Amino acid sequence: MNEIQIQIQKEIPHSPTPTPLSVSLSLSLSPMATNPNSFMATPTKTPSDKSASASSMSRRHHQQSQSQHNSARFEAYNRLQAAAVAFGEKVPIPEIVALGGQSDGKSSLLEALLGFRFNVREVEMGTRRPLILQMVHDPSAPDPRCRFQEEDSEEYGSPVVLASAIADIIKSRTEALLKKTKTAVSSKPIVMRAEYAHCPNLTIIDTPGFVLKAKKGEPETTPEEILDMVKSLATPPHRILLFLQQSSVEWCSSLWLDSIREIDPTFRRTIIVVSKFDNRLKEFSDRWEVDRYLSASGYLGDNTRPFFVALPKDKSTISNDEFRRQISQMDLEVLRHLRDGIKGGFDEEKFRPHIGFGCLRDYLESELHKRYKEAAPATLALLEQRCSEVTTELGKMESKIQATSDIAHLRRSAMLYSASISNHVGALIDGAADPAPEQWGKTTMEEQSQSGLGGWPGVTADIKPPNATLRLYGGAAFERVMHEFRCAAYSIECPPVSREKVANILLAHAGRGGGRGVTEAAAEIARAAARSWLAPLLDTACDRLAFVLGNLYDLALERNQSRDSEYGRKSEKMDGYVGFHAALRHAYNRFMKDLAKQCKQLVRHHLDSVTSPYSQVCYENEFQGGFGSSATSFYKSAGPFCVELTDGGSAAHDEIMRDQENIPPQRNGQQTTPGKGTEAREALRDSQMTVPETPSPDQPCDAILAGAKKDFGNGIDVGVRKRVSRLTGNSRNADHMRVQNGGGLLFGTGDGGLRSGSAYSEICSTAAHHFARIREVLVERNVASTLNSGFLTPCRDRLVLALGLDLFAVNDERFMDMFVAPGAIDVLQNERQSLQKRQKILQSCLNEFKSVARAL
């Protein structure tokens, strides 16, 4: 019979609970029961007795060896779990997570598994923080030894002498953390290690119980926060879910079963426990009723078998031995009631392994050890990977600390990094399209708002250059701003001038003598208008261009990082040096500001040149083929940006051009500026032959000239009249000025207002012509080339040198200020110590798992 028992145990060595057959055999197949008359027989030694004795010793040795391996594996996982909690390591350790509603019996189950009570229900242990219970079966510990892991450390504190103090420690730690984080719940666990002769080798994570309503004094969102936290703890696939529900709750009306289904839809890794089973037993009278309830068919599926547990309700202070005896007594009473109190009993073969606390405890222990064994190879590989990664991190930290003393190496690394950023800036200016323009580029509207400059000063028209809605950066955005500046400049006309101002200028020039009073007065008005209206446009253009180029720093950083990741390069990493990055950004921004300042001075110099009294711009008869040809050159210089690339195509571009005068006038008869035509030039040559007397602003222009040279007869008078009429007849600007001055062309309001021309109208018309010439020369000849050479060329050729002079042309002490801030060395050394500690713990866990793997 001993051989039969051995054979049965050999066939089911890992059964979580003995089957009814194995139980009956275990109870009956004792050495005495194998032979009823064995106590009367004389023992004799036979060969079969010797082989049986050897086989029994071999089995005991195998069982002891298996138990030692299980214990070693369990201890290895416990130490790894403690290290993972302390250092925040994401290690997929097989763990059991206890879930359930408040008052569903989780706390009582934890006490039963520990084998002793410590009044956890009175302080609601773990209701707002998870509690990791590491139970270690230690035959040498007749009394429980409990220790708590220190917060943010892998070390355990001194043993807790009184079991009743455990609840106080859990409560105080929970309240301290919640007060510190100012939250109602926290997912940071408390770790407690319990070594006891009467507890299994088991680790369970106790979670806060589900609640429908927050307690008094708690936020209303506490139930949702608890549910979200518990789901996050239960979601990892390496965790086993232990879901508890009171027996008084029907499966169809379970409040939290649906939440468990969301986490584990098929209950593949869920163990369901029906608690307080003794409360439901009295409702059953026939076998079919209890069998139907125990099967839970239709709700949990055919492959899910819940456990049914009843625990003592006595809350009085009792000894640990008495507590364990009551637990065993409850299991016997439940079985006795199912067998004797129900008509026909119950299906023991099917349901007996899932009834009673003892069956649940054995199953949890065996299931966890089975998961430990299955996960050991993957855990070993993960530990080797993490040890390698931590070693690499430690090497980097050592290099950083060493770099604080190796100034030459640090200078070289910083110079190479700065040069790399400068090269990326140059590439972006030359047309690089990575990173994605859709994410990093800006529209014209975004550039105006983010730069803080807004629109163009003095321009009332809505300037919308082609491609204004596209997200551009780098060289493309630079050219778009240049085109936008041209549009803004050509939208400004010579402003109207008061009669008093014209009179002051005209009379002052006449007093100096000479015959160019009207021309000089018009030129002076045009120069003043150009200085007043074009200077703000030039400053705004420089600021906008500096903003576009300043944005390239962040793009260069992103481009440098993505290129390193793409090619797997890790050289010259400067991530940890915040002071250096701040200094590099500051040097780059200062370089751009200096460029903007220099460009402002250059374009102002060009403006001063073309508006100087010594400039011949206002007196040139033609330059570059006339004003119309310059308009054509404008279109050529703006070539790419005259092609609309946004949605709407040329139709949108035509609509914009119709709505605003942002382009130079076309070369046709109606838009020719007065003074450009052949007749006007001939008339001007005629006027240059006369030397007028001191003019009066109230006199018509022909009267002035006739009075000055009346001795010459009517020939001159006719010529002058002809010139004035042609000027006024061909000048669109003169018509414009006539409208703005109330329709009168004379200074006075007398009968002279009926005359065909006046000095005022001629001066205004000529001033508008001179203003257009100044604007054209400034925009087309000077500004475009100056801004290109003033911004883009230095960024390509001098940026790396400027950054190097700013950052590295200093002594070692000033250079190290960027890398070694006050207390920075201490921070680095603390990080190194933490990494060394982590490396030591992980290496120890790796060695343990290697030993475990060799024993498997």
Side-chain angles (χ1 to χ4, degrees):
M1 296 296 291
N2 281 332
E3 294 178 359
I4 296 175
Q5 182 180 4
I6 293 167
Q7 184 66 26
I8 292 174
Q9 292 178 351
K10 187 175 181 180
E11 290 176 358
I12 51 175
H14 300 296
S15 177
T17 57
T19 62
L21 177 60
S22 63
V23 171
S24 61
L25 289 175
S26 297
L27 294 175
S28 62
L29 299 183
S30 62
M32 188 66 70
T34 58
N35 185 357
N37 298 322
S38 61
F39 65 95
M40 300 175 59
T42 302
T44 58
K45 292 184 179 181
T46 63
S48 60
D49 293 335
K50 292 181 180 180
S51 61
S53 176
S55 178
S56 176
M57 292 179 61
S58 176
R59 285 195 305 275
R60 285 196 298 269
H61 177 72
H62 176 73
Q63 291 174 354
Q64 291 176 357
S65 176
Q66 187 69 26
S67 176
Q68 291 176 355
H69 293 329
N70 288 343
S71 178
R73 187 163 53 243
F74 183 77
E75 283 293 339
Y77 271 108
N78 271 355
R79 269 189 282 275
L80 180 59
Q81 187 179 53
V85 172
F87 297 114
E89 293 284 348
K90 302 297 182 181
V91 183
I93 303 172
E95 296 165 321
I96 298 176
V97 181
L99 314 168
Q102 197 169 20
S103 303
D104 277 346
K106 287 194 294 88
S107 300
S108 298
L109 180 62
L110 293 178
E111 283 185 327
L113 290 170
L114 285 168
F116 64 93
R117 267 185 174 162
F118 47 90
N119 297 326
V120 294
R121 289 172 300 234
E122 294 184 4
V123 297
E124 296 181 347
M125 178 194 69
T127 53
R128 297 301 177 261
R129 281 184 71 178
L131 175 67
I132 299 179
L133 282 176
Q134 296 177 340
M135 308 176 204
V136 181
H137 176 69
D138 186 358
S140 65
D143 295 322
R145 293 194 300 263
C146 299
R147 293 181 298 164
F148 285 90
Q149 183 178 344
E150 299 295 340
E151 301 278 12
D152 302 320
S153 172
E154 81 284 359
E155 301 292 338
Y156 288 87
S158 56
V160 180
V161 178
L162 298 176
S164 59
I166 294 174
D168 297 331
I169 294 174
I170 294 172
K171 181 180 180 181
S172 62
R173 287 197 175 192
T174 301
E175 292 176 350
L177 181 65
L178 297 183
K179 183 178 180 180
K180 179 180 179 181
T181 58
K182 297 181 180 179
T183 56
V185 296
S186 174
S187 60
K188 185 177 182 180
I190 299 173
V191 181
M192 187 183 85
R193 178 183 175 91
E195 302 169 357
Y196 194 29
H198 301 286
C199 73
N201 285 320
L202 194 64
T203 298
I204 291 184
I205 302 177
D206 181 33
T207 61
F210 300 128
V211 293
L212 294 175
K213 187 177 180 180
K215 294 190 302 184
K216 185 178 180 180
E218 290 184 337
E220 294 295 330
T221 58
T222 299
E224 290 78 12
E225 293 180 13
I226 292 176
L227 182 61
D228 292 341
M229 184 189 71
V230 173
K231 283 184 178 181
S232 66
L233 291 173
T235 298
H238 59 84
R239 287 179 171 165
I240 305 169
L241 310 186
L242 183 64
F243 174 62
L244 279 77
Q245 180 174 273
Q246 296 186 44
S247 62
S248 58
V249 179
E250 299 294 340
W251 296 114
C252 60
S253 60
S254 175
L255 294 175
W256 310 116
L257 190 61
D258 291 339
S259 299
I260 302 303
R261 286 184 189 274
E262 293 177 7
I263 303 171
D264 184 21
T266 61
F267 300 125
R268 184 182 58 84
R269 55 187 181 94
T270 302
I271 301 171
I272 297 179
V273 178
V274 178
S275 60
K276 305 178 183 180
F277 183 50
D278 52 328
N279 294 338
R280 191 68 182 261
L281 284 176
K282 55 188 176 182
E283 299 181 9
F284 304 126
S285 57
D286 293 330
R287 173 170 177 157
W288 69 271
E289 293 177 333
V290 69
D291 285 351
R292 185 178 65 175
Y293 177 78
L294 295 177
S295 65
S297 60
Y299 297 100
L300 303 180
D302 296 335
N303 298 325
T304 304
R305 290 285 181 268
F307 285 84
F308 300 88
V309 175
L311 295 173
K313 296 182 174 61
D314 185 9
K315 298 182 181 180
S316 60
T317 302
I318 56 176
S319 65
N320 294 335
D321 293 337
E322 177 62 20
F323 177 58
R324 292 191 299 274
R325 190 196 67 77
Q326 290 182 4
I327 294 174
S328 301
Q329 185 65 29
M330 286 294 297
D331 285 351
L332 293 175
E333 290 179 1
V334 169
L335 286 173
R336 186 182 301 112
H337 182 84
L338 288 173
R339 290 168 180 163
D340 303 334
I342 295 176
K343 185 178 180 180
F346 72 107
D347 190 347
E348 290 198 42
E349 182 178 359
K350 185 176 182 180
F351 300 116
R352 173 64 185 87
H354 292 81
I355 295 176
F357 169 78
C359 296
L360 174 63
R361 180 189 60 190
D362 295 340
Y363 179 77
L364 290 177
E365 188 174 10
S366 64
E367 183 69 15
L368 187 60
H369 279 283
K370 184 181 75 172
R371 298 292 184 96
Y372 280 167
K373 186 175 181 179
E374 293 172 351
T379 305
L380 179 61
L382 181 61
L383 277 174
E384 290 178 342
Q385 177 185 346
R386 286 299 299 136
C387 285
S388 176
E389 292 173 352
V390 171
T391 302
T392 303
E393 291 179 18
L394 186 59
K396 292 181 180 179
M397 187 59 62
E398 293 284 358
S399 300
K400 284 186 179 181
I401 295 177
Q402 183 181 2
T404 58
S405 58
D406 190 356
I407 301 178
H409 174 77
L410 201 57
R411 280 183 179 272
R412 176 182 176 276
S413 299
M415 287 179 179
L416 290 176
Y417 186 84
S418 301
S420 177
I421 297 299
S422 300
N423 291 335
H424 285 303
V425 170
L428 292 167
I429 290 175
D430 291 337
D434 60 298
E438 298 83 0
Q439 178 182 357
W440 294 87
K442 299 183 188 305
T443 65
T444 296
M445 189 70 69
E446 290 173 344
E447 286 179 2
Q448 292 176 350
S449 61
Q450 294 179 19
S451 65
L453 299 173
W456 296 90
V459 177
T460 58
D462 187 14
I463 305 299
K464 290 184 179 179
N467 308 310
T469 59
L470 294 183
R471 295 185 176 274
L472 305 179
Y473 58 65
F478 187 95
E479 293 300 326
R480 183 174 62 185
V481 173
M482 289 294 298
H483 185 76
E484 187 181 353
F485 163 72
R486 291 188 180 96
C487 293
Y490 281 107
S491 69
I492 294 180
E493 299 291 343
C494 184
V497 185
S498 66
R499 297 175 182 273
E500 288 77 7
K501 188 173 183 179
V502 172
N504 276 273
I505 297 173
L506 180 61
L507 295 176
H509 279 284
R512 301 191 199 117
R516 297 174 58 109
V518 173
T519 303
E520 289 295 340
E524 183 61 29
I525 292 173
R527 295 188 192 105
R531 285 191 294 266
S532 175
W533 290 89
L534 297 182
L537 292 184
L538 295 174
D539 291 344
T540 301
C542 292
D543 291 334
R544 280 282 302 280
L545 294 174
F547 174 77
V548 168
L549 297 178
N551 288 335
L552 296 185
Y553 182 82
D554 290 325
L555 275 77
L557 291 180
E558 177 67 19
R559 183 180 169 88
N560 185 67
Q561 184 177 357
S562 62
R563 289 299 177 91
D564 285 350
S565 302
E566 180 180 353
Y567 297 106
R569 297 180 301 186
K570 299 295 182 182
S571 59
E572 317 308 339
K573 297 292 279 186
M574 309 293 290
D575 295 342
Y577 301 111
V578 178
F580 167 73
H581 282 285
L584 181 60
R585 182 183 291 271
H586 178 69
Y588 181 86
N589 291 337
R590 183 162 52 190
F591 178 75
M592 290 302 164
K593 289 182 179 179
D594 290 343
L595 289 185
K597 183 178 180 181
Q598 294 171 9
C599 288
K600 286 181 181 179
Q601 293 175 350
L602 288 174
V603 294
R604 281 298 186 99
H605 171 72
H606 287 300
L607 179 62
D608 293 340
S609 297
V610 297
T611 58
S612 169
Y614 303 101
S615 174
Q616 297 299 313
V617 171
C618 295
Y619 307 116
E620 293 178 0
N621 290 333
E622 289 182 339
F623 54 93
Q624 301 297 329
F627 189 78
S629 63
S630 67
T632 305
S633 68
F634 167 74
Y635 282 113
K636 291 180 180 179
S637 64
F641 278 88
C642 286
V643 179
E644 176 63 64
L645 299 178
T646 55
D647 292 340
S650 60
H653 177 264
D654 294 340
E655 182 67 23
I656 293 173
M657 293 300 106
R658 279 197 303 269
D659 293 343
Q660 60 186 34
E661 295 183 2
N662 292 342
I663 59 174
Q666 300 291 335
R667 187 174 183 180
N668 52 49
Q670 293 181 350
Q671 293 183 341
T672 301
T673 304
K676 284 292 184 178
T678 303
E679 295 179 355
R681 287 197 296 271
E682 293 176 353
L684 287 175
R685 281 195 292 270
D686 292 339
S687 67
Q688 292 171 0
M689 296 172 59
T690 62
V691 181
E693 298 176 355
T694 301
S696 171
D698 292 330
Q699 288 181 305
C701 184
D702 52 354
I704 297 172
L705 296 178
K709 290 293 179 180
K710 56 185 178 180
D711 296 337
F712 291 95
N714 295 331
I716 299 299
D717 181 67
V718 173
V720 173
R721 288 180 178 272
K722 180 180 181 181
R723 173 178 59 82
V724 173
S725 63
R726 287 174 179 173
L727 281 173
T728 57
N730 294 333
S731 175
R732 182 181 65 175
N733 288 326
D735 295 338
H736 176 68
M737 298 307 298
R738 181 186 299 111
V739 173
Q740 291 186 349
N741 288 278
L745 293 174
L746 302 177
F747 283 87
T749 58
D751 54 359
L754 301 176
R755 306 288 298 237
S756 62
S758 72
Y760 177 70
S761 63
E762 181 181 356
I763 289 174
C764 290
S765 176
T766 308
H769 166 66
H770 292 335
F771 179 86
R773 281 186 173 181
I774 294 172
R775 178 184 60 188
E776 181 184 8
V777 171
L778 186 68
V779 172
E780 302 303 331
R781 292 186 183 181
N782 301 330
V783 172
S785 59
T786 299
L787 293 181
N788 273 278
S789 61
F791 277 109
L792 300 185
T793 302
C795 286
R796 294 189 184 101
D797 301 339
R798 292 195 289 110
L799 177 59
V800 63
L801 178 61
L803 296 180
L805 290 174
D806 201 351
L807 298 177
F808 310 125
V810 294
N811 57 32
D812 290 345
E813 183 178 358
R814 286 192 58 190
F815 174 77
M816 291 305 296
D817 287 342
M818 295 186 293
F819 299 91
V820 185
I825 297 295
D826 296 336
V827 173
L828 293 177
Q829 290 177 347
N830 291 336
E831 291 181 5
R832 178 177 63 181
Q833 291 177 1
S834 177
L835 286 174
Q836 288 174 341
K837 209 169 188 180
R838 179 181 298 192
Q839 183 190 40
K840 181 179 178 181
I841 293 295
L842 291 177
Q843 190 64 45
S844 175
C845 292
L846 177 61
N847 295 335
E848 284 188 271
F849 271 91
K850 285 183 177 179
S851 301
V852 170
R854 285 193 294 267
L856 292 176

